[in-house]
Amino acid sequence: MKKLIILLLALLGILIGCSHEEILEYNMFYRYENNEYIDINFYKNGSEENANDILCLIDYWNTMLDHEHVNDTKNNLAALNVNKYATLDAKLVELIEYTIDLSTSYKVVNPLYGTLKDLWDLHMITEELPTENECLTQIEVSLSTRVAINDNDVHLLGDGLIDLDYIKKGFIGEKIKEYLISKGIDRYVINYNADLVLYGKNKNGGSFETSFYGMKNGTYNLSDITLARVTADNNCFYTKDGRRWADIPSFVTGVPNDTFETLFVLGDDALKNSILAYAYYSLEVENVKLDEEKSNIMFVGYRDKNLVYRSVRLENLLVDGR
Protein backbone atom coordinates (compact mmCIF):
# COMPACT_ATOMS: atom_id res chain seq x y z
CA MET A 1 0.00 0.00 0.00
CA LYS A 2 2.82 2.43 0.84
CA LYS A 3 4.41 1.77 -2.51
CA LEU A 4 1.12 2.42 -4.28
CA ILE A 5 0.59 5.70 -2.45
CA ILE A 6 4.11 6.87 -3.32
CA LEU A 7 3.55 6.05 -6.97
CA LEU A 8 0.20 7.83 -7.11
CA LEU A 9 1.64 10.95 -5.51
CA ALA A 10 4.64 10.94 -7.81
CA LEU A 11 2.40 10.74 -10.86
CA LEU A 12 0.20 13.65 -9.82
CA GLY A 13 1.64 15.91 -12.52
CA ILE A 14 1.44 13.40 -15.37
CA LEU A 15 -0.71 10.33 -15.70
CA ILE A 16 0.65 7.50 -17.81
CA GLY A 17 -1.68 4.97 -19.36
CA CYS A 18 -1.52 2.34 -22.06
CA SER A 19 -3.91 0.51 -24.31
CA HIS A 20 -6.13 -2.05 -22.58
CA GLU A 21 -4.83 -4.60 -25.09
CA GLU A 22 -1.29 -4.29 -23.80
CA ILE A 23 0.06 -6.94 -21.39
CA LEU A 24 2.71 -5.87 -18.90
CA GLU A 25 5.46 -8.51 -18.80
CA TYR A 26 7.82 -6.91 -16.27
CA ASN A 27 7.74 -3.94 -13.89
CA MET A 28 10.28 -2.49 -11.48
CA PHE A 29 9.59 0.51 -9.26
CA TYR A 30 12.65 1.90 -7.48
CA ARG A 31 12.80 4.94 -5.21
CA TYR A 32 16.05 6.82 -4.61
CA GLU A 33 17.02 8.39 -1.29
CA ASN A 34 16.57 11.90 -2.70
CA ASN A 35 12.87 11.17 -3.39
CA GLU A 36 13.45 10.57 -7.08
CA TYR A 37 12.10 7.37 -8.56
CA ILE A 38 12.27 5.23 -11.67
CA ASP A 39 9.29 3.16 -12.86
CA ILE A 40 10.33 0.64 -15.55
CA ASN A 41 7.71 -1.20 -17.60
CA PHE A 42 8.65 -3.79 -20.23
CA TYR A 43 5.99 -5.25 -22.53
CA LYS A 44 8.27 -7.70 -24.34
CA ASN A 45 11.83 -9.04 -24.03
CA GLY A 46 12.72 -6.94 -20.98
CA SER A 47 13.85 -8.63 -17.77
CA GLU A 48 15.01 -7.92 -14.22
CA GLU A 49 18.60 -7.89 -15.53
CA ASN A 50 17.72 -5.16 -18.03
CA ALA A 51 15.98 -3.12 -15.35
CA ASN A 52 18.97 -3.41 -13.02
CA ASP A 53 21.28 -2.37 -15.87
CA ILE A 54 19.17 0.76 -16.33
CA LEU A 55 19.37 1.55 -12.60
CA CYS A 56 23.16 1.18 -12.71
CA LEU A 57 23.32 3.40 -15.77
CA ILE A 58 21.27 6.10 -14.03
CA ASP A 59 23.41 5.88 -10.87
CA TYR A 60 26.61 6.17 -12.90
CA TRP A 61 25.57 9.24 -14.87
CA ASN A 62 24.01 10.94 -11.85
CA THR A 63 27.42 10.59 -10.20
CA MET A 64 29.34 11.83 -13.24
CA LEU A 65 27.02 14.83 -13.70
CA ASP A 66 27.09 15.78 -10.01
CA HIS A 67 28.60 19.28 -9.93
CA GLU A 68 28.73 19.58 -6.11
CA HIS A 69 30.09 16.33 -4.65
CA VAL A 70 33.48 15.01 -5.74
CA ASN A 71 33.46 11.25 -6.38
CA ASP A 72 36.13 9.19 -4.63
CA THR A 73 36.73 6.72 -7.46
CA LYS A 74 36.23 8.60 -10.74
CA ASN A 75 36.36 12.26 -11.72
CA ASN A 76 33.05 14.03 -12.23
CA LEU A 77 31.85 17.60 -12.81
CA ALA A 78 32.41 18.46 -9.13
CA ALA A 79 36.07 17.46 -9.44
CA LEU A 80 36.38 19.78 -12.43
CA ASN A 81 34.71 22.66 -10.57
CA VAL A 82 36.92 22.22 -7.50
CA ASN A 83 40.27 21.51 -9.15
CA LYS A 84 39.71 23.43 -12.40
CA TYR A 85 41.04 20.33 -14.16
CA ALA A 86 39.84 16.75 -14.58
CA THR A 87 40.05 13.78 -16.91
CA LEU A 88 36.41 12.90 -17.58
CA ASP A 89 34.35 10.17 -19.21
CA ALA A 90 34.48 10.63 -23.00
CA LYS A 91 30.67 10.86 -23.23
CA LEU A 92 30.64 13.57 -20.57
CA VAL A 93 33.27 15.52 -22.51
CA GLU A 94 31.08 15.25 -25.61
CA LEU A 95 28.12 16.62 -23.64
CA ILE A 96 30.16 19.59 -22.38
CA GLU A 97 31.32 20.34 -25.93
CA TYR A 98 27.72 20.05 -27.19
CA THR A 99 26.33 22.48 -24.61
CA ILE A 100 29.15 24.95 -25.20
CA ASP A 101 28.40 24.85 -28.93
CA LEU A 102 24.70 25.46 -28.26
CA SER A 103 25.47 28.35 -25.91
CA THR A 104 27.46 29.95 -28.72
CA SER A 105 24.88 29.28 -31.44
CA TYR A 106 21.56 29.86 -29.67
CA LYS A 107 22.39 31.30 -26.23
CA VAL A 108 19.73 29.09 -24.62
CA VAL A 109 22.09 26.92 -22.63
CA ASN A 110 25.23 27.85 -20.75
CA PRO A 111 27.02 25.02 -18.96
CA LEU A 112 29.09 27.58 -17.02
CA TYR A 113 26.21 29.31 -15.23
CA GLY A 114 26.81 27.50 -11.93
CA THR A 115 27.58 30.65 -9.91
CA LEU A 116 24.33 32.26 -11.12
CA LYS A 117 22.37 29.18 -10.05
CA ASP A 118 24.18 29.23 -6.70
CA LEU A 119 23.15 32.86 -6.25
CA TRP A 120 19.48 31.95 -6.60
CA ASP A 121 19.84 28.82 -4.51
CA LEU A 122 21.12 31.04 -1.69
CA HIS A 123 17.76 32.83 -1.84
CA MET A 124 16.11 29.60 -0.74
CA ILE A 125 17.98 30.03 2.55
CA THR A 126 18.00 33.82 3.02
CA GLU A 127 14.59 34.48 1.37
CA GLU A 128 16.09 37.64 -0.15
CA LEU A 129 15.95 38.02 -3.93
CA PRO A 130 19.29 38.73 -5.63
CA THR A 131 19.67 42.23 -7.02
CA GLU A 132 19.88 42.91 -10.75
CA ASN A 133 23.57 43.83 -10.42
CA GLU A 134 24.31 40.56 -8.59
CA CYS A 135 22.65 38.57 -11.36
CA LEU A 136 24.43 40.46 -14.13
CA THR A 137 27.76 40.02 -12.34
CA GLN A 138 27.34 36.23 -12.30
CA ILE A 139 26.28 36.20 -15.95
CA GLU A 140 29.54 38.00 -16.74
CA VAL A 141 31.45 35.40 -14.69
CA SER A 142 29.92 32.62 -16.77
CA LEU A 143 30.55 34.40 -20.08
CA SER A 144 34.18 35.16 -19.22
CA THR A 145 34.98 31.55 -18.24
CA ARG A 146 36.47 29.27 -20.89
CA VAL A 147 36.79 25.51 -21.21
CA ALA A 148 39.91 23.97 -22.75
CA ILE A 149 39.57 20.35 -23.91
CA ASN A 150 42.32 18.00 -25.02
CA ASP A 151 40.94 14.50 -25.61
CA ASN A 152 39.28 13.71 -22.26
CA ASP A 153 41.35 16.25 -20.27
CA VAL A 154 39.24 19.30 -19.41
CA HIS A 155 40.50 22.60 -17.99
CA LEU A 156 38.20 25.25 -16.51
CA LEU A 157 39.67 28.71 -17.12
CA GLY A 158 37.93 31.30 -14.97
CA ASP A 159 35.61 31.52 -11.98
CA GLY A 160 32.53 30.00 -13.63
CA LEU A 161 31.20 26.62 -12.51
CA ILE A 162 29.79 23.88 -14.74
CA ASP A 163 26.22 22.86 -13.90
CA LEU A 164 24.27 20.54 -16.22
CA ASP A 165 21.38 19.68 -13.89
CA TYR A 166 18.82 21.21 -16.24
CA ILE A 167 19.59 18.68 -19.00
CA LYS A 168 20.81 15.78 -16.86
CA LYS A 169 17.69 13.63 -17.20
CA GLY A 170 17.50 14.24 -20.94
CA PHE A 171 21.09 13.08 -21.37
CA ILE A 172 20.45 10.02 -19.20
CA GLY A 173 17.30 9.34 -21.20
CA GLU A 174 19.33 9.10 -24.39
CA LYS A 175 21.70 6.66 -22.68
CA ILE A 176 18.73 4.53 -21.62
CA LYS A 177 17.41 4.52 -25.19
CA GLU A 178 20.82 3.49 -26.52
CA TYR A 179 20.87 0.62 -24.04
CA LEU A 180 17.33 -0.51 -24.94
CA ILE A 181 18.16 -0.50 -28.65
CA SER A 182 21.32 -2.55 -28.00
CA LYS A 183 19.18 -5.19 -26.23
CA GLY A 184 16.45 -5.28 -28.87
CA ILE A 185 13.84 -3.86 -26.48
CA ASP A 186 11.34 -1.58 -28.21
CA ARG A 187 8.15 -2.06 -26.16
CA TYR A 188 8.42 -0.12 -22.90
CA VAL A 189 7.33 2.87 -20.86
CA ILE A 190 10.02 4.19 -18.51
CA ASN A 191 9.08 6.98 -16.12
CA TYR A 192 12.00 8.78 -14.48
CA ASN A 193 10.58 10.94 -11.70
CA ALA A 194 7.88 12.27 -14.09
CA ASP A 195 10.55 14.68 -15.40
CA LEU A 196 11.38 12.28 -18.20
CA VAL A 197 9.18 9.58 -19.72
CA LEU A 198 10.35 7.28 -22.52
CA TYR A 199 7.65 5.66 -24.67
CA GLY A 200 8.34 2.68 -26.92
CA LYS A 201 5.86 0.77 -29.10
CA ASN A 202 2.86 -1.21 -27.90
CA LYS A 203 2.23 -4.80 -29.00
CA ASN A 204 0.66 -3.72 -32.29
CA GLY A 205 3.63 -1.51 -33.17
CA GLY A 206 1.41 1.46 -32.37
CA SER A 207 1.43 3.98 -29.57
CA PHE A 208 0.67 4.30 -25.89
CA GLU A 209 -2.03 6.60 -24.62
CA THR A 210 -1.31 9.31 -22.06
CA SER A 211 -3.05 12.39 -20.73
CA PHE A 212 -1.87 15.59 -19.06
CA TYR A 213 -3.46 16.89 -15.90
CA GLY A 214 -6.16 19.48 -16.42
CA MET A 215 -6.99 18.14 -19.88
CA LYS A 216 -10.62 17.06 -20.09
CA ASN A 217 -11.19 16.40 -23.79
CA GLY A 218 -9.02 13.41 -24.61
CA THR A 219 -5.71 11.58 -24.45
CA TYR A 220 -2.65 11.53 -26.70
CA ASN A 221 -1.15 8.61 -28.59
CA LEU A 222 2.63 8.48 -28.12
CA SER A 223 5.15 6.09 -29.65
CA ASP A 224 8.95 6.21 -30.01
CA ILE A 225 8.91 9.54 -28.23
CA THR A 226 10.19 11.05 -25.01
CA LEU A 227 8.56 13.57 -22.72
CA ALA A 228 10.58 16.06 -20.70
CA ARG A 229 8.98 18.07 -17.91
CA VAL A 230 10.19 21.23 -16.21
CA THR A 231 8.19 22.34 -13.20
CA ALA A 232 8.17 24.58 -10.14
CA ASP A 233 6.78 23.11 -6.95
CA ASN A 234 6.53 24.08 -3.32
CA ASN A 235 10.12 23.05 -2.64
CA CYS A 236 11.92 24.70 -5.54
CA PHE A 237 10.49 28.01 -6.70
CA TYR A 238 11.30 31.62 -6.05
CA THR A 239 8.62 34.21 -5.36
CA LYS A 240 8.23 37.89 -6.09
CA ASP A 241 5.14 40.04 -5.53
CA GLY A 242 3.18 36.94 -4.61
CA ARG A 243 3.96 35.25 -7.95
CA ARG A 244 5.83 32.00 -8.44
CA TRP A 245 9.02 32.10 -10.44
CA ALA A 246 10.78 29.12 -11.95
CA ASP A 247 13.72 27.71 -10.04
CA ILE A 248 15.85 28.05 -13.19
CA PRO A 249 17.22 31.55 -13.92
CA SER A 250 17.50 32.81 -17.49
CA PHE A 251 20.98 32.82 -19.02
CA VAL A 252 20.19 36.18 -20.63
CA THR A 253 18.40 38.18 -17.92
CA GLY A 254 19.77 36.37 -14.88
CA VAL A 255 16.34 36.04 -13.28
CA PRO A 256 13.66 33.30 -13.41
CA ASN A 257 10.29 33.79 -15.10
CA ASP A 258 6.73 33.40 -13.87
CA THR A 259 5.00 32.50 -17.14
CA PHE A 260 4.84 28.72 -16.75
CA GLU A 261 4.61 26.62 -13.63
CA THR A 262 4.90 23.42 -15.62
CA LEU A 263 6.06 22.84 -19.18
CA PHE A 264 6.05 19.53 -21.05
CA VAL A 265 8.12 19.01 -24.21
CA LEU A 266 7.65 15.96 -26.43
CA GLY A 267 9.94 14.76 -29.20
CA ASP A 268 12.17 11.90 -30.29
CA ASP A 269 15.37 13.24 -28.68
CA ALA A 270 15.37 13.28 -24.87
CA LEU A 271 18.39 15.58 -24.59
CA LYS A 272 17.00 18.09 -27.08
CA ASN A 273 13.66 17.99 -25.26
CA SER A 274 15.35 18.93 -21.98
CA ILE A 275 17.26 21.77 -23.61
CA LEU A 276 14.19 23.19 -25.33
CA ALA A 277 12.15 22.78 -22.15
CA TYR A 278 14.71 24.94 -20.39
CA ALA A 279 14.72 27.48 -23.21
CA TYR A 280 10.96 27.89 -23.22
CA TYR A 281 10.65 27.71 -19.45
CA SER A 282 13.20 30.48 -18.95
CA LEU A 283 11.58 32.47 -21.80
CA GLU A 284 14.58 32.40 -24.10
CA VAL A 285 12.15 31.49 -26.88
CA GLU A 286 13.37 34.23 -29.19
CA ASN A 287 16.79 32.60 -29.22
CA VAL A 288 15.48 29.20 -30.32
CA LYS A 289 15.38 28.82 -34.10
CA LEU A 290 12.57 26.29 -34.11
CA ASP A 291 9.75 25.76 -36.58
CA GLU A 292 7.21 23.55 -34.85
CA GLU A 293 5.48 22.60 -38.09
CA LYS A 294 8.72 21.14 -39.48
CA SER A 295 10.07 19.56 -36.32
CA ASN A 296 9.11 16.61 -34.17
CA ILE A 297 8.84 18.82 -31.09
CA MET A 298 5.60 19.54 -29.23
CA PHE A 299 4.88 21.73 -26.19
CA VAL A 300 2.19 22.07 -23.55
CA GLY A 301 2.45 24.63 -20.75
CA TYR A 302 0.47 25.31 -17.56
CA ARG A 303 0.07 28.27 -15.24
CA ASP A 304 -1.90 27.99 -11.98
CA LYS A 305 -2.91 24.50 -13.19
CA ASN A 306 -4.55 26.02 -16.27
CA LEU A 307 -3.51 25.12 -19.81
CA VAL A 308 -1.97 28.29 -21.29
CA TYR A 309 -0.15 26.92 -24.33
CA ARG A 310 -0.38 23.85 -26.54
CA SER A 311 1.53 23.50 -29.79
CA VAL A 312 -0.25 22.79 -33.07
CA ARG A 313 1.35 19.39 -33.66
CA LEU A 314 0.21 18.16 -30.27
CA GLU A 315 -3.39 18.69 -31.35
CA ASN A 316 -2.86 16.15 -34.12
CA LEU A 317 -2.13 13.42 -31.56
CA LEU A 318 -5.33 14.02 -29.62
CA VAL A 319 -7.68 11.05 -29.28
CA ASP A 320 -11.19 12.49 -28.98
CA GLY A 321 -13.72 11.07 -26.60
CA ARG A 322 -11.23 9.27 -24.36
Side-chain angles (χ1 to χ4, degrees), residues 209 215-220 318-322:
E209 295 177 0
M215 191 183 70
K216 300 178 180 179
N217 60 340
T219 60
Y220 294 97
L318 188 64
V319 181
D320 293 325
R322 290 290 186 81

Side-chain angles (χ1 to χ4, degrees), residues 117-128 130 238:
K117 183 64 163 57
D118 288 346
L119 180 66
W120 281 94
D121 286 344
L122 182 62
H123 159 62
M124 302 297 291
I125 301 174
T126 65
E127 298 183 357
E128 294 181 4
Y238 310 115

Side-chain angles (χ1 to χ4, degrees), residues 18-27 41-45 187-188 201-204 208:
C18 63
S19 170
H20 66 279
E21 299 177 351
E22 191 60 48
I23 298 176
L24 178 64
E25 291 189 356
Y26 181 82
N27 167 261
N41 298 278
F42 294 131
Y43 296 91
K44 187 178 181 181
N45 298 334
R187 286 166 50 186
Y188 56 84
K201 294 182 175 67
N202 67 12
K203 72 174 185 178
N204 300 316
F208 291 91

Side-chain angles (χ1 to χ4, degrees), residues 107-163:
K107 295 181 174 60
V108 295
V109 292
N110 184 345
L112 300 167
Y113 90 129
T115 58
L116 175 63
K117 183 64 163 57
D118 288 346
L119 180 66
W120 281 94
D121 286 344
L122 182 62
H123 159 62
M124 302 297 291
I125 301 174
T126 65
E127 298 183 357
E128 294 181 4
L129 291 174
T131 66
E132 180 180 359
N133 285 338
E134 287 175 326
C135 294
L136 294 177
T137 296
Q138 297 312 319
I139 289 177
E140 182 57 36
V141 168
S142 66
L143 293 176
S144 63
T145 301
R146 295 290 180 266
V147 177
I149 298 175
N150 182 16
D151 292 329
N152 296 333
D153 297 331
V154 183
H155 293 262
L156 201 56
L157 310 175
D159 296 326
L161 301 175
I162 289 188
D163 184 340

Side-chain angles (χ1 to χ4, degrees), residues 39-301:
D39 190 22
I40 301 172
N41 298 278
F42 294 131
Y43 296 91
K44 187 178 181 181
N45 298 334
S47 66
E48 181 178 2
E49 179 182 1
N50 299 132
N52 284 324
D53 286 346
I54 290 174
L55 292 180
C56 291
L57 184 154
I58 292 174
D59 287 338
Y60 174 78
W61 284 113
N62 269 326
T63 300
M64 292 302 98
L65 290 163
D66 188 338
H67 64 282
E68 295 180 314
H69 307 98
V70 176
N71 184 256
D72 293 333
T73 59
K74 187 174 177 62
N75 284 336
N76 59 0
L77 288 185
L80 177 60
N81 284 333
V82 170
N83 302 318
K84 301 299 180 180
Y85 164 79
T87 300
L88 302 176
D89 185 294
K91 294 295 183 181
L92 181 53
V93 175
E94 289 179 11
L95 179 62
I96 293 173
E97 291 178 317
Y98 178 64
T99 54
I100 290 174
D101 181 62
L102 282 178
S103 69
T104 302
S105 304
Y106 297 109
K107 295 181 174 60
V108 295
V109 292
N110 184 345
L112 300 167
Y113 90 129
T115 58
L116 175 63
K117 183 64 163 57
D118 288 346
L119 180 66
W120 281 94
D121 286 344
L122 182 62
H123 159 62
M124 302 297 291
I125 301 174
T126 65
E127 298 183 357
E128 294 181 4
L129 291 174
T131 66
E132 180 180 359
N133 285 338
E134 287 175 326
C135 294
L136 294 177
T137 296
Q138 297 312 319
I139 289 177
E140 182 57 36
V141 168
S142 66
L143 293 176
S144 63
T145 301
R146 295 290 180 266
V147 177
I149 298 175
N150 182 16
D151 292 329
N152 296 333
D153 297 331
V154 183
H155 293 262
L156 201 56
L157 310 175
D159 296 326
L161 301 175
I162 289 188
D163 184 340
L164 296 176
D165 275 358
Y166 59 99
I167 59 173
K168 178 172 65 177
K169 286 188 174 69
F171 176 76
I172 292 175
E174 284 302 299
K175 298 307 165 191
I176 293 175
K177 287 169 61 178
E178 290 174 8
Y179 170 81
L180 293 170
I181 292 172
S182 72
K183 298 299 181 180
I185 302 172
D186 63 356
R187 286 166 50 186
Y188 56 84
V189 176
I190 298 176
N191 181 6
Y192 185 8
N193 211 47
D195 296 320
L196 183 75
V197 185
L198 310 178
Y199 294 94
K201 294 182 175 67
N202 67 12
K203 72 174 185 178
N204 300 316
S207 55
F208 291 91
E209 295 177 0
T210 191
S211 62
F212 300 103
Y213 67 81
M215 191 183 70
K216 300 178 180 179
N217 60 340
T219 60
Y220 294 97
N221 280 344
L222 304 178
S223 179
D224 287 335
I225 204 166
T226 66
L227 180 150
R229 180 190 72 157
V230 186
T231 186
D233 60 36
N234 291 332
N235 297 317
C236 63
F237 65 76
Y238 310 115
T239 59
K240 182 179 181 182
D241 301 327
R243 296 282 288 175
R244 294 186 185 184
W245 285 21
D247 62 325
I248 307 176
S250 162
F251 295 135
V252 177
T253 65
V255 300
N257 82 85
D258 64 352
T259 301
F260 297 115
E261 279 181 357
T262 303
L263 179 69
F264 297 96
V265 179
L266 298 92
D268 54 9
D269 186 320
L271 177 57
K272 184 184 294 183
N273 291 357
S274 292
I275 291 172
L276 291 175
Y278 181 96
Y280 273 74
Y281 201 62
S282 60
L283 287 187
E284 308 309 336
V285 184
E286 68 277 8
N287 295 313
V288 182
K289 312 302 180 184
L290 176 69
D291 183 348
E292 291 183 14
E293 294 298 322
K294 297 179 181 178
S295 67
N296 192 34
I297 299 291
M298 293 153 281
F299 301 85
V300 57

